[in-house]
Amino acid sequence: MKKVISNKIIRKRARRRVYVIGALCVLLVLIAIFAKQLSPHDPNVTSALLIRRPPSKEYPFGTDSYGRCVLSRVLAGAGTTIFATTVLVAVTFVIGTVLGIISGYYGGLADTLIMRVTELFLAFPQMVVAIAVAGILGGGLKAALIALGVTAWTGYAKIARSHTLSVKNENYIAAAKLAGLRGWQIICFHILPNTLFPLVTNALTQIGTTMIGISGLSFLGLGVIPPQAEWGSMINESRAYIQLAPWAVLYPALATVITIMLFNYLGDAVMDLRKAERRN
Amino acid sequence: MAENVLEIRDLSLSYGDDDIVRNVNLSVKAGEILCIAGESGCGKSTLLKAIHGMDAINVTAGDIVYEGKSILGMPASERRRMMGTGIGLIPQNPQGSFNPLRSFGKQMKETMESHGMKFDRTEMVRLMDSMGLPDGDKLISSRPFELSGGMNQRVAIVFSLLLQPKVLLCDEITSALDVTSGKMVIHEVESYAAHSNAAILMVTHHLGIADRIADTVAVMNHGEVVEYGPVSKVLYHPEDSYTRMLLEKIPKIRREAVS
Amino acid sequence: MKKYVIKRLISLIPLLLILSFFSFLLLDMAPGDPAEKKLAAQGVAVTKEVIEAERIRMGLDRPFLTRYFAWLFGALRGDLGVSYKDGFPVMGKLMDGLGKTCQLAVSSLVLSLLVSIPVSVICAVRQDSLFDNVFRILSFAGNSVPNFLISVLLMFVFCIRMKIFPVIAGDSFSGLFLPVISLAIPMTGRFIRQFRAEIISQLEQDFVTGIRARGVRETVVLFRNVLYNALGHMITIAGLSIGTLMGGSVVIETIFRWSGIGKLVMDSITARDYPVVQGFVLIMGVMYLVIGLVTDLIFVTLDPRTEITS
């Protein structure tokens, strides 16, 4: 018979995993923040003499067809991707959470209205809407973020609402009401702290999806406008001469895959931790 | 002297790192009813789980023997064939018995077929009737989620009895039922033991039930059997202080049962 | 059940209205004057008089809502306007591409299901085995790689290095292979993860213990009970993935030059031929809504408890 592992050990392991992966993600973010300082060259300086050089000591990832340093561009791309993702996740998090809590806490007409709108946005295919909106707005990072954000907030709203509903009738909320706290005070001090963990978990799982979306739009030429460095658009620029300079595609590809995997893994680890915490 | 159908020898169980049951020795013969009594958390349900072996529980010491054979080391296929027809189980909550989405008839049929038996609809209807479930023919075609918990519980007992187990494990089977249905069910289990010469191992916190149907009683406290013997001895001349404390609640229980 | 179907059909009406409104609005969101864009797309020399004449011909002098309803009634009859670029009806252009896109989408969906269903069943039944761990890593990886990246890498390996497939696939059958794989890999990864989780959650239901305790054969427990109960969720997951598939096909068709609706829409975005983009959103949206409705109805048929609670 299989040995049963106690919940305590499962929790401990889950927590350790979150710390390790979390530290790696923080490291990645730091790299993105200090991209300028870490870059050996200016990511945007072109040179006719240095076109498609294979990786060397001076250019560890080689150069692209404009003679730009691929390593510097990958580092700069990390900044673009992580900045854009953070902005999008943060904005959709706040909008979705506020709407979800209002909907759950006040109920009634506000609830009906907000939930109808949420269902509405959930009913449309995200990437199709994003491509069309970004395409018609004429590209650019801002348009891409709006295009992806149109549907991304709905998840938070649903989670925030259901968790608000589940704590709304607890005794301590009634006590807070009797103590004369106002609606927004109860929301800030009592409801928000109790819904934060599932919301953060959702935000973490959204990071990977958002990155895939941003790089996909940029790849299509609907996101970041060159020459600004972004992994998706770098891959698109370089794929035409992949035979001559595979490094110009492979390094941004590798960076994309590693980053998305790391953040997806963090999301998984936090979700496992939540499950382990709830087993008690 | 009749053979023991089921024997529990020096059994110790743990769940994770927590020891739950220590050095338990119990046995039941054919036609005998053994009640394991104790308050919640005493380990009686864990003991039952170890016997049917469906949940992950560590056996740290001892053995469980069915008809002279250890069931702990039994190959999965042999154990599967033994379950239901050899050792039957009536779980505590009715949600634990059936797939909520498939009709009782389909589920009974596939159970019988798994054991190479034939599904006899009229026999099932008859048994349901004796369990206070008239209109059995219609019930068989319905799905568990369409019925109340109490009705599901009684159908679960019908399922168990139709398989003719030699040992029937009952886990607090009356807890989902009202007093009348509870009595009906207990009566049916009791008469099954008498007619089919089956052994019953019933876990209950209800000493009134033990008094009514049991031949032998085991009282458990903190994972150990504190007193074990014939009903006349354990319930009427208890030696252990914990048993005595439990028994002080009995008059109250009896009054409840009568009203 | 009948009541539920009618209720759901009625709830579709406002969604369709909003979708059509949003699609119509898209054209107005585009920067610049539509008449000017149309003429520019056709390569006509633009003067003030020509634009003004075109504006009146396009009905742009009428109020917004009037134009919307005129467009909506046209759309209901299958008229989505004409392309800025060549003056052909948008509906016809989209329908030409839709067939090719469906080839791609259906093939990759079928391939993903054929792989992910058996794999996720084995993973769920043999949890934490070697097989489970290997496929958990693979499905995690597959789920984390954007499909444009997969297709670029596949193209590099199979078309350029190994020369097994032509670089420009055209619309041949062998050309179907790489695009389908590119779409199928991330989808298979996602399916394995979600199916596995769903099957495990069904396996952990109390009733499984009850059925096993009656000695029911394990194959019956698994196929007629656990998988039967998981089926509704699995169909829902597959239905939702069609939205991702629609977006993915735009990327993949562009890379492999597969002349489906996705490539058409990218070409139209480049050419600023916005009525085609508008029609694309409308048709994809309608298809997605209908698929969502169908999967919901299947779910309720399999698990009538949801109808009672909703």
Side-chain angles (χ1 to χ4, degrees):
Chain A
M1 202 178 262
K2 227 163 52 180
K3 175 107 173 93
V4 186
I5 307 162
S6 77
N7 290 340
K8 224 161 88 190
I9 296 174
I10 291 176
R11 264 204 308 281
K12 212 169 129 190
R13 280 184 195 167
R15 215 169 288 148
R16 199 171 51 203
R17 213 155 58 107
V18 171
Y19 292 149
V20 173
I21 307 301
L24 286 174
C25 290
V26 169
L27 184 70
L28 213 70
V29 173
L30 286 178
I31 290 176
I33 292 173
F34 293 104
K36 244 194 197 129
Q37 284 73 21
L38 292 168
S39 300
H41 304 275
D42 185 325
N44 294 323
V45 165
T46 57
S47 164
L49 299 171
L50 289 167
I51 288 171
R52 297 196 282 263
R53 288 282 172 87
S56 62
K57 222 174 194 167
E58 213 196 330
Y59 293 95
F61 289 0
T63 63
D64 65 8
S65 63
Y66 294 98
R68 295 173 296 194
C69 168
V70 173
L71 173 60
S72 305
R73 288 186 69 72
V74 167
L75 286 169
T80 312
T81 303
I82 287 176
F83 169 74
T85 307
T86 312
V87 169
L88 185 63
V89 170
V91 170
T92 51
F93 182 107
V94 171
I95 293 176
T97 303
V98 168
L99 288 176
I101 290 183
I102 289 175
S103 178
Y105 186 76
Y106 292 105
L109 187 65
D111 185 28
T112 320
L113 215 67
I114 292 172
M115 279 303 115
R116 273 291 136 83
V117 175
T118 310
E119 274 162 33
L120 209 81
F121 279 100
L122 272 175
F124 301 130
Q126 181 180 20
M127 218 33 200
V128 168
V129 173
I131 288 170
V133 170
I136 285 187
L137 289 181
L141 190 55
K142 213 166 92 187
L145 290 182
I146 292 173
L148 289 168
V150 166
T151 48
W153 58 275
T154 49
Y156 302 101
K158 287 203 127 179
I159 294 169
R161 177 177 179 269
S162 74
H163 282 265
T164 305
L165 284 177
S166 69
V167 296
K168 192 175 138 185
N169 296 320
E170 296 278 340
N171 285 330
Y172 63 86
I173 302 280
K177 268 185 198 157
L178 284 176
L181 257 65
R182 287 161 191 276
W184 65 268
Q185 285 169 319
I186 292 175
I187 287 174
C188 288
F189 301 126
H190 296 287
I191 290 181
L192 196 58
N194 281 300
T195 54
L196 215 53
F197 199 10
L199 285 168
V200 169
T201 313
N202 186 54
L204 289 173
T205 57
Q206 285 297 306
I207 292 177
T209 321
T210 308
M211 283 180 177
I212 291 181
I214 291 174
S215 61
L217 286 179
S218 296
F219 178 85
L220 287 173
L222 301 175
V224 171
I225 300 167
Q228 194 188 347
E230 198 279 341
W231 298 332
S233 68
M234 285 170 74
I235 293 167
N236 189 34
E237 276 176 2
S238 312
R239 74 186 166 102
Y241 53 89
I242 189 170
Q243 200 171 6
L244 299 170
W247 52 85
V249 172
L250 294 182
Y251 285 111
L254 212 60
T256 310
V257 173
I258 290 174
T259 309
I260 294 171
M261 273 194 186
L262 214 53
F263 279 101
N264 274 351
Y265 199 61
L266 181 66
D268 277 12
V270 172
M271 248 189 321
D272 285 347
L273 176 64
R274 230 185 111 204
K275 240 188 269 164
E277 301 269 7
R278 256 195 303 188
R279 276 160 85 121
N280 255 25
Chain B
M1 191 186 129
E3 284 283 309
N4 289 329
V5 196
L6 188 75
E7 266 185 53
I8 295 160
R9 295 177 185 159
D10 293 324
L11 194 69
S12 293
L13 304 170
S14 71
Y15 187 77
D17 292 334
D18 311 316
D19 288 332
I20 295 185
V21 169
R22 276 178 303 276
N23 294 323
V24 168
N25 281 288
L26 296 169
S27 61
V28 263
K29 295 182 182 61
E32 185 186 47
I33 299 179
L34 164 65
C35 277
I36 304 176
E39 291 169 309
S40 51
C42 71
K44 55 190 195 303
S45 284
T46 308
L47 184 64
L48 210 69
K49 280 180 182 161
I51 300 171
H52 69 67
M54 294 295 136
D55 297 275
I57 286 160
N58 295 329
V59 177
T60 44
D63 205 352
I64 302 169
V65 179
Y66 167 73
E67 291 194 321
K69 260 178 136 175
S70 165
I71 62 173
L72 294 179
M74 210 179 249
S77 61
E78 197 183 338
R79 188 172 180 126
R80 199 272 299 163
R81 280 193 297 276
M82 178 192 76
M83 292 310 298
T85 51
I87 299 178
L89 168 72
I90 305 172
Q92 181 172 9
N93 64 339
Q95 294 85 22
S97 297
F98 304 113
N99 183 341
L101 300 182
R102 298 181 64 240
S103 75
F104 291 114
K106 278 185 191 157
Q107 295 193 54
M108 190 66 231
K109 193 160 179 278
E110 71 194 17
T111 308
M112 301 297 261
E113 281 167 357
S114 285
H115 291 291
M117 298 158 91
K118 251 189 89 71
F119 173 51
D120 184 351
R121 204 178 166 106
T122 49
E123 169 69 9
M124 188 163 170
V125 172
R126 192 199 60 73
L127 198 55
M128 284 169 100
D129 203 54
S130 71
M131 209 75 78
L133 293 169
D135 210 0
D137 210 50
K138 211 178 123 205
L139 284 185
I140 288 174
S141 308
S142 54
R143 286 168 289 191
F145 81 88
E146 296 165 321
L147 266 57
S148 72
M151 283 168 108
N152 267 302
Q153 181 69 324
R154 278 174 277 169
V155 182
I157 294 163
V158 170
F159 265 52
S160 299
L161 297 187
L162 279 174
L163 290 170
Q164 302 275 315
K166 291 179 181 146
V167 181
L168 185 58
L169 311 173
C170 305
D171 188 2
E172 304 272 15
I173 54 171
T174 55
S175 59
L177 302 176
D178 58 76
V179 177
T180 326
S181 315
K183 274 185 180 167
M184 230 183 249
V185 159
I186 292 291
H187 174 74
E188 205 56 40
V189 169
E190 194 180 4
S191 70
Y192 173 72
H195 292 144
S196 310
N197 203 29
I200 309 285
L201 199 151
M202 185 175 287
V203 161
T204 179
H205 65 277
H206 201 314
L207 283 172
I209 291 175
D211 184 29
R212 240 180 60 207
I213 66 166
D215 300 306
T216 47
V217 177
V219 178
M220 283 186 77
N221 185 27
H222 292 304
E224 284 175 51
V225 173
V226 292
E227 194 152 10
Y228 175 40
V231 91
S232 55
K233 188 178 155 291
V234 177
L235 295 189
Y236 293 92
H237 306 284
E239 287 170 1
D240 186 80
S241 58
Y242 180 75
T243 313
R244 257 181 248 135
M245 192 206 84
L246 277 185
L247 279 168
E248 275 162 23
K249 296 174 182 170
I250 270 213
K252 207 177 97 199
I253 293 163
R254 273 200 182 137
R255 232 179 289 131
E256 257 174 31
V258 169
S259 61
Chain C
M1 186 68 200
K2 211 177 189 175
K3 240 166 113 187
Y4 181 78
V5 176
I6 293 168
K7 215 176 95 190
R8 284 303 316 267
L9 279 173
I10 291 172
S11 74
L12 211 56
I13 294 170
L15 283 174
L16 284 169
L17 273 175
I18 301 272
L19 174 68
S20 67
F21 188 76
F22 173 74
S23 310
F24 185 74
L25 198 66
L26 265 182
L27 211 63
D28 265 51
M29 272 161 59
D33 180 63
E36 200 178 328
K37 273 178 293 186
K38 183 177 177 182
L39 294 172
Q42 290 166 344
V44 177
V46 182
T47 63
K48 236 184 177 158
E49 293 76 38
V50 179
I51 292 176
E52 211 40 56
E54 185 62 30
R55 279 184 64 88
I56 291 166
R57 219 158 53 84
M58 287 168 77
L60 288 169
D61 52 338
R62 289 180 297 166
F64 179 79
L65 278 179
T66 318
R67 281 186 289 135
Y68 167 64
F69 283 112
W71 177 82
L72 181 63
F73 288 121
L76 285 175
R77 289 193 313 266
D79 173 17
L80 292 173
V82 291
S83 157
Y84 284 172
K85 201 167 66 182
D86 50 22
F88 283 122
V90 169
M91 195 65 173
K93 290 183 106 171
L94 289 171
M95 285 302 143
D96 284 348
L98 196 60
K100 302 239 45 162
T101 299
C102 283
Q103 266 181 28
L104 207 62
V106 171
S107 312
S108 49
L109 185 64
V110 169
L111 179 67
S112 294
L113 290 173
L114 282 179
V115 175
S116 57
I117 292 174
V119 167
S120 56
V121 170
I122 298 173
C123 282
V125 172
R126 304 241 173 283
Q127 241 186 97
D128 295 320
S129 65
L130 181 68
F131 183 92
D132 182 28
N133 284 326
V134 167
F135 275 95
R136 242 158 73 190
I137 294 169
L138 285 179
S139 60
F140 174 80
N143 187 39
S144 299
V145 184
N147 48 25
F148 71 83
L149 225 164
I150 293 175
S151 41
V152 168
L153 295 181
L154 284 178
M155 217 169 184
F156 178 56
V157 174
F158 289 103
C159 305
I160 294 172
R161 277 288 160 91
M162 292 164 75
K163 297 192 167 50
I164 299 177
F165 298 102
V167 176
I168 297 169
D171 299 335
S172 61
F173 182 74
S174 74
L176 194 62
F177 191 75
L178 289 184
V180 165
I181 302 269
S182 305
L183 280 173
I185 287 177
M187 190 157 50
T188 310
R190 213 163 40 243
F191 282 173
I192 292 176
R193 280 164 65 83
Q194 293 176 335
F195 289 174
R196 177 183 175 276
E198 173 58 26
I199 297 168
I200 287 175
S201 90
Q202 290 294 341
L203 277 169
E204 284 170 353
Q205 297 282 313
D206 284 346
F207 78 80
V208 176
T209 307
I211 297 178
R212 280 190 182 142
R214 282 196 293 271
V216 174
R217 265 186 286 125
E218 199 54 34
T219 48
V220 176
V221 174
L222 188 63
F223 290 105
R224 281 200 233 155
N225 291 285
V226 169
L227 285 185
Y228 179 84
N229 287 20
L231 196 61
H233 290 279
M234 286 162 73
I235 289 172
T236 306
I237 292 166
L240 284 174
S241 78
I242 305 234
T244 322
L245 204 56
M246 289 169 174
S249 68
V250 177
V251 180
I252 299 300
E253 288 176 8
T254 306
I255 296 174
F256 288 99
R257 306 199 192 170
W258 183 264
S259 56
I261 202 168
K263 184 167 177 295
L264 174 69
V265 83
M266 268 322 287
D267 291 346
S268 304
I269 286 174
T270 318
R272 300 186 185 281
D273 191 356
Y274 295 138
V276 179
V277 183
Q278 182 184 47
F280 168 77
V281 173
L282 185 69
I283 285 187
M284 288 292 146
V286 170
M287 280 175 62
Y288 190 64
L289 284 176
V290 171
I291 289 166
L293 176 71
V294 171
T295 52
D296 271 8
L297 292 182
I298 295 175
F299 191 95
V300 172
T301 317
L302 289 170
D303 188 349
R305 287 175 299 178
T306 42
E307 187 192 347
I308 295 165
T309 50
S310 68

